[in-house]
């Protein structure tokens, strides 16, 4: 397993980004401006060897773009409309299992929450780095994942090793486990301060459906209002 961000000896030393190499990448993130920033940072193929061949902002788009372009690596956000990064991994189908040139996934997220990291790694991602990573280190991580390595941000590496080295499953939050994937998405957005209309737009559902999900979350967690819900989510580092 390789750690990245601030590692030494990854640039100009004949490492994985050697002369003539090229890795085809799809960017999956629900923030268009962030995708544009990543594209600007790593997308100069002549310099970095990374060729961005597609982008997606939700699960449905991601499944379609990945199937159409068959990239080497997918940079995957954890929190996406339509079911999150785990759902993209679930739908990857033959793209990952194909005998020739498998598609590999590298999670790139602002979150370092245990459930997010373990969820996408169990789903099949080859690594997980946070959005504090530098452009140079991200390029290095992309090439390493393309080569089949497992790559993690330094502060996540020890946690991942501990979680999977244990004979016991990681601790389960029984309260959180009561929620469906869509209810968790609504919970996070509510806790981040989104209005119902904004959540509906983000998740491509109606405002009435959002209200139903919020009611279900409050009932299952035995909370009274969105302020209590926000405190609950913040305490569990879900925001």
């Amino acid at each position: 397993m390789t750690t990245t961000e601030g590692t030494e000896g990854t640039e100009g030393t004949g490492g994985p980004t050697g002369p003539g190499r090229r890795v085809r990448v799809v960017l999956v993130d629900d923030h268009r401006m962030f995708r544009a920033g990543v594209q600007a940072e790593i997308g100069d193929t002549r310099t970095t060897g990374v060729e961005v061949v597609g982008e997606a902002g939700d699960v449905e788009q991601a499944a379609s773009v990945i199937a159409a372009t068959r990239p080497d690596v997918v940079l995957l956000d954890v929190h996406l409309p339509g079911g999150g990064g785990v759902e993209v991994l679930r739908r990857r189908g033959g793209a990952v299992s194909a005998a020739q040139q498998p598609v590999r996934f590298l999670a790139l997220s602002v979150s370092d929450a245990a459930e997010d990291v373990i969820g996408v790694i169990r789903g099949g991602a080859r690594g997980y780095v946070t959005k504090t990573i530098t452009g140079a280190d991200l390029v290095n991580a992309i090439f390493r994942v393309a080569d089949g390595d497992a790559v993690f941000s330094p502060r996540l590496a020890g946690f991942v090793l501990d979680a999977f080295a244990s004979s016991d499953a990681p601790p389960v939050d029984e309260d959180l486990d009561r929620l469906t994937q869509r209810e968790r998405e609504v919970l996070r957005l509510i806790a981040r301060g989104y209005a119902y209309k904004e959540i509906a737009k983000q998740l491509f559902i109606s405002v009435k459906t959002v209200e139903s999900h919020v009611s279900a979350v409050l009932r299952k967690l035995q909370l009274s209002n969105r302020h209590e819900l926000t405190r609950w989510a913040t305490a569990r580092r879900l925001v």
Side-chain angles (χ1 to χ4, degrees), residues 101-137:
Q101 196 176 353
V103 178
R104 295 189 169 98
F105 291 78
L106 173 62
L108 175 62
S109 178
V110 69
S111 171
D112 60 0
E115 63 162 307
D116 290 334
V117 179
I118 297 301
V120 294
I121 297 304
R122 281 181 170 165
R126 294 294 303 172
Y128 195 116
V129 294
T130 61
K131 290 181 177 179
T132 58
I133 192 170
T134 66
D137 284 332

Side-chain angles (χ1 to χ4, degrees), residues 146-187:
D147 287 340
D149 289 348
V151 181
F152 298 90
S153 294
R155 60 179 176 176
L156 302 181
F159 161 72
V160 173
L161 285 172
D162 289 344
F164 284 93
S166 172
S167 59
D168 300 322
V172 174
D173 188 322
E174 294 183 0
D175 290 332
L176 188 63
D177 205 41
R178 295 190 185 103
L179 305 183
T180 66
Q181 180 64 37
R182 178 47 60 87
E183 287 168 352
R184 294 186 191 192
E185 291 177 345
V186 172
L187 164 66

Side-chain angles (χ1 to χ4, degrees), residues 186-194 196 199 214 226 229-230:
V186 172
L187 164 66
R188 286 191 180 95
L189 292 173
I190 284 288
R192 291 173 184 172
Y194 283 70
Y196 285 5
I199 296 173
V214 172
R226 65 181 298 162
L229 186 152
T230 299

Side-chain angles (χ1 to χ4, degrees), residues 35-98:
R35 297 199 308 270
V38 173
Q39 167 82 9
E41 185 73 20
I42 70 173
D44 183 350
T45 307
R46 289 176 298 178
T47 302
T48 66
V50 174
E51 180 185 3
V52 178
V53 297
E55 299 181 18
D58 59 47
V59 170
E60 292 296 336
Q61 291 176 5
S64 177
V65 171
I66 292 167
T69 61
R70 288 192 53 80
D72 302 305
V73 175
V74 177
L75 284 182
L76 181 66
D77 192 14
V78 174
H79 301 144
L80 291 169
V86 172
E87 180 64 15
V88 175
L89 288 161
R90 189 185 70 79
R91 295 192 189 190
R92 69 195 186 278
V96 171
S97 59

